[in-house]
């Protein structure tokens, strides 16, 4: 009887230790996320050095990314979407937006953003991974879930692209004529 009682005590002790370790792991993940939320990526400094101007704010980059994605979808309303299939670009836009928003995208949600069949989307994810722009991360909470995220190289490239795009737009808008007063003038 004493042996059974001792075994139960040890099992309860192990359960308490596992529970405590799980709680500590959760707390560490939470602290790491809070630190990550406060940290501005050093990529912004690299973008500023490479372009020669200050890098736009995270909010400005996020707005530009969202605008680019909406513009792509708007175009589909006027032209046959098959003319301009760019699932890789749609995926990069979605991943950049999620990175700027401190979120992660599952593989399934990334496939849906590209608006192509799942097999095509998965081929594009493989291509983006092979070029070093995207990588896969496993979920710590659910072994079945995989997240797709931009690599540092991918984040840097998107930041440089949108920074340069905003500089070009600013220069163009400041020096050239605006849209014609009437759009029907443009043929």
């Amino acid at each position: 009887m004493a042996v059974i009682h001792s075994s139960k005590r040890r099992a309860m002790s192990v359960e308490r230790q596992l529970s405590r370790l799980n709680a500590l792991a959760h707390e560490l993940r939470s602290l790491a996320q809070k630190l990550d939320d406060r940290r501005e990526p050093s990529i912004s400094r690299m973008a500023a050095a490479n372009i020669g101007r200050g890098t736009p704010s995270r909010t400005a980059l996020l707005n530009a990314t969202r605008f680019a994605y909406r513009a792509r979808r708007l175009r589909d309303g006027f032209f046959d979407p098959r003319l301009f299939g760019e699932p890789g670009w749609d995926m990069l836009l979605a991943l950049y937006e999620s990175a700027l928003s401190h979120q992660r995208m599952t593989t399934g949600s990334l496939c849906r953003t590209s608006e192509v069949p799942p097999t095509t989307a998965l081929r594009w994810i493989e291509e983006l991974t092979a070029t070093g722009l995207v990588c896969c991360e496993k979920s710590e909470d659910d072994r079945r879930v995989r997240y797709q995220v931009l690599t540092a190289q991918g984040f840097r490239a998107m930041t440089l692209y949108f920074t340069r795009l905003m500089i070009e737009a600013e220069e163009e808008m400041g020096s050239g004529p605006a849209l014609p007063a009437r759009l029907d003038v443009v043929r």
Side-chain angles (χ1 to χ4, degrees), residues 67-94:
F67 177 79
Y69 188 79
R70 284 193 316 272
R72 291 257 305 110
R73 293 295 153 236
L74 178 67
R75 186 179 66 188
D76 290 348
F78 294 93
F79 304 97
D80 185 344
R82 292 175 298 172
L83 293 173
F84 307 109
E86 300 176 85
W89 182 241
D90 288 339
M91 290 177 175
L92 287 174
L93 288 171

Side-chain angles (χ1 to χ4, degrees), residues 53 164-176:
R53 289 189 176 192
R164 185 63 190 196
L165 183 66
M166 285 188 264
I167 289 169
E168 297 272 336
E170 181 182 293
E171 290 172 357
E172 187 68 30
M173 297 301 255
S175 62

Side-chain angles (χ1 to χ4, degrees), residues 17-187:
Q17 289 173 346
L18 285 174
S19 177
R20 185 165 181 246
L21 284 174
N22 282 331
L24 287 171
H26 179 70
E27 187 177 343
L28 283 173
R29 277 194 302 270
S30 177
L31 287 170
Q33 182 65 42
K34 287 177 185 174
L35 286 172
D36 189 49
D37 288 347
R38 290 185 199 154
R39 178 176 56 95
E40 282 294 314
S42 60
I43 293 166
S44 294
R45 288 188 295 280
M46 289 170 34
N50 288 334
I51 292 174
R53 289 189 176 192
T55 303
S57 70
R58 183 179 296 274
T59 302
L61 290 168
L62 189 55
N63 289 338
T65 304
R66 288 176 176 158
F67 177 79
Y69 188 79
R70 284 193 316 272
R72 291 257 305 110
R73 293 295 153 236
L74 178 67
R75 186 179 66 188
D76 290 348
F78 294 93
F79 304 97
D80 185 344
R82 292 175 298 172
L83 293 173
F84 307 109
E86 300 176 85
W89 182 241
D90 288 339
M91 290 177 175
L92 287 174
L93 288 171
L95 289 170
Y96 189 57
E97 179 182 352
S98 69
L100 290 170
S101 302
H102 298 291
Q103 297 175 355
R104 296 189 298 174
M105 293 190 79
T106 64
T107 302
S109 62
L110 182 59
C111 288
R112 286 187 292 280
T113 65
S114 66
E115 296 188 1
V116 294
T119 53
T120 303
L122 290 171
R123 274 197 310 274
W124 274 100
I125 290 172
E126 286 177 16
E127 183 67 29
L128 293 170
T129 301
T131 60
L133 298 172
V134 174
C135 67
C136 180
E137 291 181 353
K138 296 177 184 179
S139 169
E140 295 176 11
D141 301 324
D142 187 342
R143 294 183 310 177
R144 298 168 294 176
V145 176
R146 300 282 188 268
Y147 295 104
Q148 299 297 324
V149 297
L150 286 177
T151 61
Q153 174 189 348
F155 189 88
R156 179 176 36 260
M158 294 298 284
T159 300
L160 290 169
Y161 170 78
F162 277 106
T163 301
R164 185 63 190 196
L165 183 66
M166 285 188 264
I167 289 169
E168 297 272 336
E170 181 182 293
E171 290 172 357
E172 187 68 30
M173 297 301 255
S175 62
L179 287 174
R182 291 181 28 209
L183 288 177
D184 60 349
V185 172
V186 180
R187 300 236 190 276

